[in-house]
Amino acid sequence: MLRTDADDDLSDPLLAEAAELRASPAYPVAVREYTVAIARFREAPRLINKLIASETRFRLTAYVFCFAAYYEKHGPHGGVTYTQLLELCTQREELSPRLLKTTLTLLKLAGFIKTTRHPSDRRSKSYHPTPRMMDFVKSWIPHAVNALDAVQPDMRRAQMLAEDPDFIPRFAAAAGHEHATGIPLIDRMPEFTCFFGKREGAIPVVLAVMLSDIDSTPLPSRAQIARRFGLSKTQVSNMIAEGSRLGFLATDEAGTPHATAHLRDSYGRFISIELAFYARHMRPG
């Protein structure tokens, strides 16, 4: 039988862990914490916005950071090589060599990575995150930490993040290993992530709509959404049209979009899968 995004395959441990998170009475609080933090994070300077506007570029940025952290601990020379990243692109069909080169160029321009040459082969070089990239990750990771603290307060992950300097490198190394060997998160909800995770501009539009839905507040105009997230008004309109076609959004007579039950369910499930992944690797030292 064809599996849909609405099905829970509890033989998949991560999906079982995600279902446990959704069952928590505090899960709606976690969804709001996640949504508010991610929306704030996506209000980025122009160059950073260009880097994260494409979800595939942003995902590849996370892979670079996590793989570098993993090989810093387990590789002979530290850092992640172009060949190792290219092997990942071969495994993940949506990550092309051209996208890899573009993303690495943007990361260099942003000052997020530095390169070192292999001591015995000057043609081989490794990429290492810079302190600026670490600051970028520190501004991004609280969305997961705060959301998880809402449903698993005894773990005190926000405290770990604040007090343990190895918290982020430890998480990144563990996550890098699973990224390389496990099922990609986006493959667990292909219907939703083909829109949410692969359409440039879809995430900011969904965040704006879901914040309006969660807080029962008026949705900002398309121009306001575009300004807030560094998009064009046309991009916002295109994503509203695409989301409506797929059943995630519905529009009223004035053309204002709102969340459908399908979006609420898909969004909540996707967040639970992400949080289950983070929870698995955000552990004490």
Side-chain angles (χ1 to χ4, degrees), residues 82-114:
Y82 180 83
T83 300
Q84 288 164 334
L85 292 169
L86 194 60
E87 288 175 357
L88 176 70
C89 291
T90 302
Q91 299 169 29
R92 311 282 197 260
E93 291 182 359
E94 87 277 14
L95 302 177
S96 67
R98 181 179 179 181
L99 174 67
L100 174 58
K101 290 178 181 178
T102 300
T103 303
L104 290 173
T105 298
L106 288 171
L107 287 171
K108 287 180 182 178
L109 288 172
F112 281 6
I113 56 174
K114 62 180 181 179

Side-chain angles (χ1 to χ4, degrees), residues 216-233:
S216 300
T217 54
L219 182 72
S221 69
R222 298 180 189 207
Q224 289 171 323
I225 294 172
R227 282 197 299 272
R228 180 179 183 186
F229 296 109
L231 304 171
S232 70
K233 189 176 176 182

